[in-house]
Amino acid sequence: MPAGELGRRGLRYAMTDELDFEELRQRRKERSRTDARFLRPTDTSRELKRLLWQELALSKLIGGWIPAIPAYDRKMRLGRQCYLHNRNAKCLYERIEELPGGMNDNEWMPDLTRETFERMFGAADEHAFMVSYLFAVRQLYAQYDALMAKLDPILNAPTVDQLRFIDVEREATLAWSREQAFAAYASGGEGAPTTLPPRLAPHSLAAWPS
């Protein structure tokens, strides 16, 4: 074969290899950008723990308020809400245990989370309590939404499944909470349906877990 033909073939092969390499590099860059959108397993675990502590705090504080609620229907529904938050915490715990690191024996609710919820639910009366509860669950579901947007739907499918299970009660919880908050406002309780009582708002908003 003439030397010139060999040279042209070699040039074509070199150009093909260069194009293949450039395509591979571009794919890697795109994959890197895609991966950056999603949380790593260790980051997922940390985010789930933040939600776990808030669910536990809600369950605990609702349970503390139930004896002080005079209306039977509201008392019974709060008992169900207490159960739901506790069940959600269990779902989150089970998923955390499957992720790297799991839950350490010495881990417990951060002081900031505990103090935030204690301030919120240290309400003057049940009316202020119901307004505070509406605020708390709205904040909680907003955090669930933010986390869901950062989960890889394939590699983090078990986490997505748990959050979807938790989300089943969202509409019922928010609808009931809004109804109770408006009832509290109509009966002359502290605050307004969509805000915390003025006495509690500055403290709770400043200390909200983030």
Side-chain angles (χ1 to χ4, degrees):
M1 180 178 297
E5 183 65 22
L6 284 173
R8 285 193 293 272
R9 287 193 177 185
L11 180 61
R12 283 200 299 270
Y13 292 147
M15 292 177 63
T16 301
D17 290 343
E18 185 176 347
L19 290 173
D20 289 344
F21 175 76
E22 184 62 30
E23 183 179 353
L24 179 60
R25 185 168 60 179
Q26 188 64 27
R27 287 180 180 177
R28 286 178 176 174
K29 287 174 64 177
E30 292 174 358
R31 189 181 305 118
S32 178
R33 285 196 296 268
T34 301
D35 293 344
R37 296 201 334 255
F38 299 124
L39 293 176
R40 298 174 302 170
T42 53
D43 296 327
T44 301
S45 178
R46 185 183 66 249
E47 294 294 318
L48 291 178
K49 287 176 184 179
R50 289 178 56 247
L51 295 168
L52 166 67
W53 301 132
Q54 293 178 61
E55 292 280 11
L56 280 177
L58 280 170
S59 177
K60 177 182 177 182
L61 291 168
I62 291 172
W65 261 96
I66 288 175
I69 303 297
Y72 179 78
D73 290 346
R74 180 178 285 177
K75 187 188 295 282
M76 292 298 293
R77 181 54 188 262
L78 282 172
R80 172 166 172 75
Q81 294 304 122
C82 183
Y83 158 75
L84 289 174
H85 290 299
N86 196 55
R87 185 205 65 183
N88 293 346
K90 181 181 178 182
C91 291
L92 295 170
Y93 175 81
E94 290 174 351
R95 179 55 185 149
I96 290 168
E97 285 290 277
E98 296 171 347
L99 291 166
M103 185 74 74
N104 298 325
D105 293 339
N106 60 349
E107 285 189 273
W108 186 237
M109 187 182 299
D111 291 341
L112 178 62
T113 302
R114 178 180 54 78
E115 291 172 6
T116 298
F117 280 89
E118 285 179 354
R119 288 176 181 179
M120 285 180 58
F121 286 89
D125 53 34
E126 68 171 301
H127 309 301
F129 162 74
M130 294 309 309
V131 174
S132 296
Y133 180 64
L134 173 60
F135 175 84
V137 294
R138 280 178 168 173
Q139 293 292 317
L140 185 60
Y141 281 122
Q143 291 176 74
Y144 275 118
D145 289 341
L147 175 57
M148 184 71 88
K150 296 185 289 185
L151 295 178
D152 189 315
I154 298 175
L155 299 180
N156 223 333
T159 304
V160 172
D161 287 344
Q162 290 286 28
L163 297 193
R164 284 176 175 166
F165 177 72
I166 290 171
D167 197 62
V168 168
E169 295 289 337
R170 176 200 293 245
E171 291 305 319
T173 292
L174 289 175
W176 182 79
S177 301
R178 283 192 295 267
E179 177 184 320
Q180 299 305 307
F182 274 93
Y185 181 69
S187 61
E190 288 189 57
T194 57
T195 61
L196 280 175
R199 181 174 62 84
L200 300 177
H203 305 287
S204 300
L205 289 172
W208 192 263
S210 60

Short mmCIF file of all heavy atoms in Angstrom, two decimals, residues 55 58-59 61-62 77-78 80-82 84-85 117 120-121 123 126-141 173-174 176-178 180-181 195-197 208:
data_model
loop_
_atom_site.label_atom_id
_atom_site.label_comp_id
_atom_site.label_asym_id
_atom_site.label_seq_id
_atom_site.Cartn_x
_atom_site.Cartn_y
_atom_site.Cartn_z
N GLU A 55 -40.65 15.11 63.17
CA GLU A 55 -41.82 14.25 63.30
C GLU A 55 -41.98 13.78 64.75
O GLU A 55 -43.08 13.77 65.31
CB GLU A 55 -41.71 13.04 62.37
CG GLU A 55 -41.79 13.36 60.89
CD GLU A 55 -43.21 13.58 60.39
OE1 GLU A 55 -44.13 13.70 61.22
OE2 GLU A 55 -43.40 13.62 59.16
N LEU A 58 -43.23 16.68 66.93
CA LEU A 58 -44.66 16.91 66.74
C LEU A 58 -45.49 15.87 67.48
O LEU A 58 -46.48 16.19 68.15
CB LEU A 58 -45.00 16.90 65.25
CG LEU A 58 -44.69 18.18 64.48
CD1 LEU A 58 -44.84 17.96 62.99
CD2 LEU A 58 -45.59 19.32 64.95
N SER A 59 -45.10 14.61 67.36
CA SER A 59 -45.84 13.54 68.03
C SER A 59 -45.83 13.75 69.55
O SER A 59 -46.87 13.63 70.22
CB SER A 59 -45.21 12.19 67.68
OG SER A 59 -45.86 11.14 68.37
N LEU A 61 -45.28 16.57 71.34
CA LEU A 61 -45.94 17.77 71.81
C LEU A 61 -47.46 17.71 71.62
O LEU A 61 -48.21 18.23 72.44
CB LEU A 61 -45.35 18.98 71.09
CG LEU A 61 -43.90 19.28 71.50
CD1 LEU A 61 -43.27 20.29 70.56
CD2 LEU A 61 -43.84 19.77 72.93
N ILE A 62 -47.91 17.08 70.53
CA ILE A 62 -49.35 16.89 70.37
C ILE A 62 -49.89 16.02 71.50
O ILE A 62 -50.94 16.31 72.08
CB ILE A 62 -49.67 16.24 69.01
CG1 ILE A 62 -49.39 17.23 67.88
CG2 ILE A 62 -51.13 15.79 68.94
CD1 ILE A 62 -49.49 16.61 66.50
N ARG A 77 -59.07 13.55 66.94
CA ARG A 77 -58.30 13.77 65.72
C ARG A 77 -56.84 14.06 66.04
O ARG A 77 -55.94 13.63 65.32
CB ARG A 77 -58.90 14.92 64.92
CG ARG A 77 -58.15 15.21 63.61
CD ARG A 77 -58.02 13.94 62.75
NE ARG A 77 -57.17 14.15 61.61
CZ ARG A 77 -57.60 14.43 60.37
NH1 ARG A 77 -58.91 14.54 60.15
NH2 ARG A 77 -56.75 14.58 59.40
N LEU A 78 -56.59 14.78 67.11
CA LEU A 78 -55.20 15.03 67.51
C LEU A 78 -54.50 13.72 67.90
O LEU A 78 -53.30 13.56 67.67
CB LEU A 78 -55.15 16.02 68.67
CG LEU A 78 -55.36 17.48 68.29
CD1 LEU A 78 -55.47 18.35 69.55
CD2 LEU A 78 -54.20 17.98 67.42
N ARG A 80 -55.04 10.92 66.45
CA ARG A 80 -54.65 10.33 65.17
C ARG A 80 -53.43 11.03 64.60
O ARG A 80 -52.53 10.39 64.06
CB ARG A 80 -55.81 10.39 64.17
CG ARG A 80 -55.41 9.96 62.76
CD ARG A 80 -56.58 9.69 61.86
NE ARG A 80 -56.15 9.45 60.49
CZ ARG A 80 -55.57 8.34 60.05
NH1 ARG A 80 -55.34 7.34 60.88
NH2 ARG A 80 -55.21 8.21 58.78
N GLN A 81 -53.39 12.36 64.70
CA GLN A 81 -52.22 13.09 64.21
C GLN A 81 -50.96 12.71 64.97
O GLN A 81 -49.88 12.59 64.38
CB GLN A 81 -52.46 14.60 64.33
CG GLN A 81 -53.57 15.14 63.44
CD GLN A 81 -53.37 14.81 61.97
OE1 GLN A 81 -54.22 14.18 61.35
NE2 GLN A 81 -52.24 15.21 61.41
N CYS A 82 -51.10 12.49 66.24
CA CYS A 82 -49.98 12.04 67.05
C CYS A 82 -49.46 10.69 66.54
O CYS A 82 -48.24 10.49 66.38
CB CYS A 82 -50.41 11.92 68.52
SG CYS A 82 -49.09 11.45 69.66
N LEU A 84 -49.88 9.47 63.48
CA LEU A 84 -49.32 9.62 62.13
C LEU A 84 -47.89 10.16 62.17
O LEU A 84 -47.02 9.68 61.43
CB LEU A 84 -50.20 10.54 61.29
CG LEU A 84 -51.55 9.97 60.86
CD1 LEU A 84 -52.37 11.05 60.15
CD2 LEU A 84 -51.37 8.76 59.95
N HIS A 85 -47.64 11.14 63.00
CA HIS A 85 -46.28 11.68 63.09
C HIS A 85 -45.32 10.63 63.64
O HIS A 85 -44.16 10.54 63.19
CB HIS A 85 -46.26 12.94 63.95
CG HIS A 85 -46.93 14.12 63.31
ND1 HIS A 85 -46.49 14.66 62.12
CD2 HIS A 85 -48.02 14.85 63.69
CE1 HIS A 85 -47.27 15.68 61.80
NE2 HIS A 85 -48.20 15.81 62.72
N PHE A 117 -39.72 23.65 68.82
CA PHE A 117 -41.07 23.10 68.95
C PHE A 117 -41.66 23.38 70.33
O PHE A 117 -42.88 23.59 70.46
CB PHE A 117 -41.05 21.61 68.63
CG PHE A 117 -41.04 21.32 67.16
CD1 PHE A 117 -39.84 21.22 66.47
CD2 PHE A 117 -42.22 21.18 66.45
CE1 PHE A 117 -39.82 20.97 65.11
CE2 PHE A 117 -42.21 20.94 65.08
CZ PHE A 117 -41.00 20.84 64.41
N MET A 120 -42.96 26.88 70.15
CA MET A 120 -44.17 26.95 69.33
C MET A 120 -45.38 26.44 70.07
O MET A 120 -46.46 27.03 70.02
CB MET A 120 -43.98 26.16 68.04
CG MET A 120 -43.10 26.81 67.02
SD MET A 120 -42.97 25.78 65.56
CE MET A 120 -44.69 25.64 65.11
N PHE A 121 -45.21 25.33 70.75
CA PHE A 121 -46.36 24.67 71.37
C PHE A 121 -46.56 25.08 72.83
O PHE A 121 -47.43 24.54 73.50
CB PHE A 121 -46.22 23.15 71.24
CG PHE A 121 -46.49 22.67 69.83
CD1 PHE A 121 -45.46 22.60 68.91
CD2 PHE A 121 -47.76 22.33 69.43
CE1 PHE A 121 -45.69 22.19 67.61
CE2 PHE A 121 -48.01 21.91 68.13
CZ PHE A 121 -46.97 21.85 67.22
N ALA A 123 -48.13 27.40 73.80
CA ALA A 123 -49.16 28.38 73.45
C ALA A 123 -50.03 28.71 74.65
O ALA A 123 -50.17 27.93 75.59
CB ALA A 123 -50.01 27.84 72.31
N GLU A 126 -55.65 26.64 73.47
CA GLU A 126 -55.74 25.66 72.38
C GLU A 126 -55.88 26.33 71.02
O GLU A 126 -55.49 25.75 70.00
CB GLU A 126 -56.91 24.70 72.61
CG GLU A 126 -58.28 25.34 72.50
CD GLU A 126 -59.39 24.30 72.52
OE1 GLU A 126 -59.40 23.41 71.63
OE2 GLU A 126 -60.24 24.38 73.42
N HIS A 127 -56.40 27.54 70.98
CA HIS A 127 -56.54 28.26 69.71
C HIS A 127 -55.15 28.57 69.14
O HIS A 127 -54.87 28.34 67.96
CB HIS A 127 -57.33 29.54 69.92
CG HIS A 127 -58.63 29.35 70.61
ND1 HIS A 127 -59.62 28.53 70.14
CD2 HIS A 127 -59.10 29.85 71.79
CE1 HIS A 127 -60.66 28.53 70.96
NE2 HIS A 127 -60.36 29.32 71.97
N ALA A 128 -54.29 29.11 70.00
CA ALA A 128 -52.92 29.40 69.56
C ALA A 128 -52.18 28.11 69.22
O ALA A 128 -51.37 28.08 68.30
CB ALA A 128 -52.17 30.16 70.66
N PHE A 129 -52.48 27.06 69.94
CA PHE A 129 -51.86 25.76 69.66
C PHE A 129 -52.22 25.29 68.25
O PHE A 129 -51.35 24.82 67.49
CB PHE A 129 -52.32 24.73 70.69
CG PHE A 129 -52.10 23.30 70.27
CD1 PHE A 129 -50.83 22.75 70.26
CD2 PHE A 129 -53.16 22.51 69.86
CE1 PHE A 129 -50.62 21.44 69.85
CE2 PHE A 129 -52.96 21.20 69.45
CZ PHE A 129 -51.70 20.67 69.45
N MET A 130 -53.49 25.41 67.85
CA MET A 130 -53.90 24.93 66.54
C MET A 130 -53.26 25.77 65.42
O MET A 130 -52.89 25.23 64.37
CB MET A 130 -55.42 24.96 66.40
CG MET A 130 -56.16 23.97 67.30
SD MET A 130 -55.52 22.27 67.20
CE MET A 130 -55.52 21.95 65.46
N VAL A 131 -53.12 27.08 65.62
CA VAL A 131 -52.46 27.92 64.63
C VAL A 131 -50.98 27.51 64.51
O VAL A 131 -50.43 27.42 63.41
CB VAL A 131 -52.59 29.41 65.01
CG1 VAL A 131 -51.77 30.27 64.05
CG2 VAL A 131 -54.05 29.83 64.98
N SER A 132 -50.36 27.24 65.65
CA SER A 132 -48.96 26.81 65.64
C SER A 132 -48.79 25.47 64.93
O SER A 132 -47.82 25.26 64.20
CB SER A 132 -48.43 26.69 67.08
OG SER A 132 -48.42 27.95 67.72
N TYR A 133 -49.74 24.57 65.13
CA TYR A 133 -49.65 23.26 64.48
C TYR A 133 -49.76 23.39 62.97
O TYR A 133 -49.02 22.73 62.22
CB TYR A 133 -50.75 22.33 65.01
CG TYR A 133 -50.71 20.96 64.37
CD1 TYR A 133 -49.62 20.12 64.56
CD2 TYR A 133 -51.75 20.52 63.55
CE1 TYR A 133 -49.56 18.88 63.97
CE2 TYR A 133 -51.70 19.28 62.96
CZ TYR A 133 -50.61 18.46 63.17
OH TYR A 133 -50.55 17.22 62.57
N LEU A 134 -50.66 24.26 62.49
CA LEU A 134 -50.76 24.48 61.05
C LEU A 134 -49.44 25.00 60.49
O LEU A 134 -48.97 24.52 59.45
CB LEU A 134 -51.88 25.48 60.76
CG LEU A 134 -52.00 25.95 59.29
CD1 LEU A 134 -52.27 24.78 58.37
CD2 LEU A 134 -53.08 27.02 59.16
N PHE A 135 -48.84 25.95 61.17
CA PHE A 135 -47.56 26.49 60.73
C PHE A 135 -46.51 25.37 60.68
O PHE A 135 -45.74 25.25 59.72
CB PHE A 135 -47.10 27.59 61.68
CG PHE A 135 -45.72 28.11 61.38
CD1 PHE A 135 -45.54 29.09 60.43
CD2 PHE A 135 -44.62 27.62 62.05
CE1 PHE A 135 -44.26 29.58 60.15
CE2 PHE A 135 -43.34 28.10 61.78
CZ PHE A 135 -43.17 29.08 60.83
N ALA A 136 -46.47 24.53 61.70
CA ALA A 136 -45.46 23.48 61.80
C ALA A 136 -45.59 22.46 60.68
O ALA A 136 -44.58 22.07 60.07
CB ALA A 136 -45.55 22.78 63.16
N VAL A 137 -46.81 22.00 60.39
CA VAL A 137 -46.96 20.98 59.35
C VAL A 137 -46.70 21.56 57.96
O VAL A 137 -46.19 20.86 57.08
CB VAL A 137 -48.34 20.28 59.42
CG1 VAL A 137 -48.46 19.48 60.70
CG2 VAL A 137 -49.49 21.26 59.29
N ARG A 138 -47.03 22.83 57.76
CA ARG A 138 -46.71 23.46 56.47
C ARG A 138 -45.19 23.49 56.26
O ARG A 138 -44.69 23.19 55.18
CB ARG A 138 -47.27 24.88 56.42
CG ARG A 138 -48.75 24.95 56.09
CD ARG A 138 -49.22 26.39 56.13
NE ARG A 138 -50.54 26.54 55.54
CZ ARG A 138 -51.22 27.68 55.57
NH1 ARG A 138 -50.70 28.75 56.14
NH2 ARG A 138 -52.43 27.75 55.02
N GLN A 139 -44.47 23.88 57.30
CA GLN A 139 -43.02 23.91 57.20
C GLN A 139 -42.46 22.51 56.94
O GLN A 139 -41.54 22.32 56.14
CB GLN A 139 -42.42 24.47 58.49
CG GLN A 139 -42.72 25.94 58.74
CD GLN A 139 -42.03 26.84 57.74
OE1 GLN A 139 -40.86 26.64 57.40
NE2 GLN A 139 -42.73 27.85 57.26
N LEU A 140 -43.02 21.53 57.62
CA LEU A 140 -42.55 20.16 57.50
C LEU A 140 -42.75 19.63 56.08
O LEU A 140 -41.83 19.06 55.47
CB LEU A 140 -43.27 19.26 58.50
CG LEU A 140 -42.81 17.80 58.59
CD1 LEU A 140 -41.33 17.72 58.99
CD2 LEU A 140 -43.67 17.03 59.58
N TYR A 141 -43.94 19.81 55.52
CA TYR A 141 -44.20 19.32 54.17
C TYR A 141 -43.37 20.07 53.13
O TYR A 141 -43.00 19.50 52.10
CB TYR A 141 -45.69 19.40 53.84
CG TYR A 141 -46.50 18.28 54.46
CD1 TYR A 141 -47.55 18.55 55.33
CD2 TYR A 141 -46.19 16.96 54.19
CE1 TYR A 141 -48.29 17.52 55.91
CE2 TYR A 141 -46.92 15.93 54.76
CZ TYR A 141 -47.96 16.21 55.63
OH TYR A 141 -48.68 15.19 56.20
N THR A 173 -54.29 16.09 56.39
CA THR A 173 -53.69 16.79 57.54
C THR A 173 -53.77 18.30 57.36
O THR A 173 -54.17 19.03 58.28
CB THR A 173 -52.22 16.36 57.71
OG1 THR A 173 -52.18 14.99 58.12
CG2 THR A 173 -51.52 17.22 58.75
N LEU A 174 -53.41 18.79 56.17
CA LEU A 174 -53.43 20.23 55.95
C LEU A 174 -54.85 20.78 55.95
O LEU A 174 -55.10 21.87 56.49
CB LEU A 174 -52.73 20.56 54.62
CG LEU A 174 -51.21 20.38 54.61
CD1 LEU A 174 -50.66 20.62 53.21
CD2 LEU A 174 -50.54 21.31 55.61
N TRP A 176 -57.50 19.59 57.55
CA TRP A 176 -58.00 19.63 58.93
C TRP A 176 -57.32 20.72 59.73
O TRP A 176 -57.96 21.44 60.50
CB TRP A 176 -57.77 18.27 59.60
CG TRP A 176 -58.31 18.24 61.01
CD1 TRP A 176 -59.60 18.07 61.40
CD2 TRP A 176 -57.54 18.40 62.21
NE1 TRP A 176 -59.70 18.11 62.77
CE2 TRP A 176 -58.45 18.31 63.28
CE3 TRP A 176 -56.19 18.60 62.47
CZ2 TRP A 176 -58.03 18.43 64.62
CZ3 TRP A 176 -55.78 18.71 63.80
CH2 TRP A 176 -56.69 18.63 64.86
N SER A 177 -56.03 20.89 59.55
CA SER A 177 -55.29 21.92 60.30
C SER A 177 -55.77 23.31 59.94
O SER A 177 -55.92 24.17 60.81
CB SER A 177 -53.79 21.79 60.01
OG SER A 177 -53.31 20.52 60.38
N ARG A 178 -56.00 23.55 58.63
CA ARG A 178 -56.53 24.85 58.21
C ARG A 178 -57.90 25.11 58.82
O ARG A 178 -58.19 26.21 59.29
CB ARG A 178 -56.60 24.93 56.68
CG ARG A 178 -55.27 25.17 56.00
CD ARG A 178 -55.46 25.53 54.54
NE ARG A 178 -56.04 24.43 53.78
CZ ARG A 178 -55.33 23.53 53.11
NH1 ARG A 178 -54.01 23.58 53.13
NH2 ARG A 178 -55.93 22.56 52.43
N GLN A 180 -59.13 23.92 61.59
CA GLN A 180 -59.01 24.19 63.02
C GLN A 180 -58.42 25.56 63.28
O GLN A 180 -58.80 26.26 64.23
CB GLN A 180 -58.14 23.11 63.68
CG GLN A 180 -58.68 21.70 63.57
CD GLN A 180 -60.10 21.58 64.10
OE1 GLN A 180 -60.38 21.96 65.24
NE2 GLN A 180 -61.00 21.06 63.28
N ALA A 181 -57.47 25.97 62.45
CA ALA A 181 -56.87 27.29 62.62
C ALA A 181 -57.89 28.40 62.35
O ALA A 181 -57.95 29.39 63.08
CB ALA A 181 -55.66 27.45 61.70
N THR A 195 -50.65 32.38 60.39
CA THR A 195 -49.43 32.83 61.05
C THR A 195 -49.38 32.29 62.46
O THR A 195 -50.38 31.84 63.02
CB THR A 195 -49.37 34.37 61.14
OG1 THR A 195 -50.49 34.82 61.90
CG2 THR A 195 -49.40 34.99 59.75
N LEU A 196 -48.20 32.37 63.07
CA LEU A 196 -48.07 32.02 64.47
C LEU A 196 -48.64 33.13 65.34
O LEU A 196 -48.71 34.28 64.93
CB LEU A 196 -46.58 31.85 64.82
CG LEU A 196 -45.94 30.54 64.42
CD1 LEU A 196 -44.46 30.60 64.72
CD2 LEU A 196 -46.57 29.39 65.16
N PRO A 197 -49.03 32.80 66.57
CA PRO A 197 -49.40 33.87 67.50
C PRO A 197 -48.26 34.86 67.63
O PRO A 197 -47.09 34.46 67.66
CB PRO A 197 -49.64 33.11 68.81
CG PRO A 197 -49.99 31.72 68.38
CD PRO A 197 -49.19 31.48 67.14
N TRP A 208 -36.05 28.13 63.69
CA TRP A 208 -36.54 26.98 62.92
C TRP A 208 -35.39 26.19 62.34
O TRP A 208 -34.49 26.75 61.74
CB TRP A 208 -37.46 27.44 61.78
CG TRP A 208 -38.18 26.28 61.18
CD1 TRP A 208 -37.83 25.60 60.06
CD2 TRP A 208 -39.33 25.65 61.70
NE1 TRP A 208 -38.71 24.56 59.86
CE2 TRP A 208 -39.64 24.57 60.83
CE3 TRP A 208 -40.15 25.88 62.82
CZ2 TRP A 208 -40.73 23.73 61.05
CZ3 TRP A 208 -41.24 25.04 63.02
CH2 TRP A 208 -41.51 23.99 62.14
#
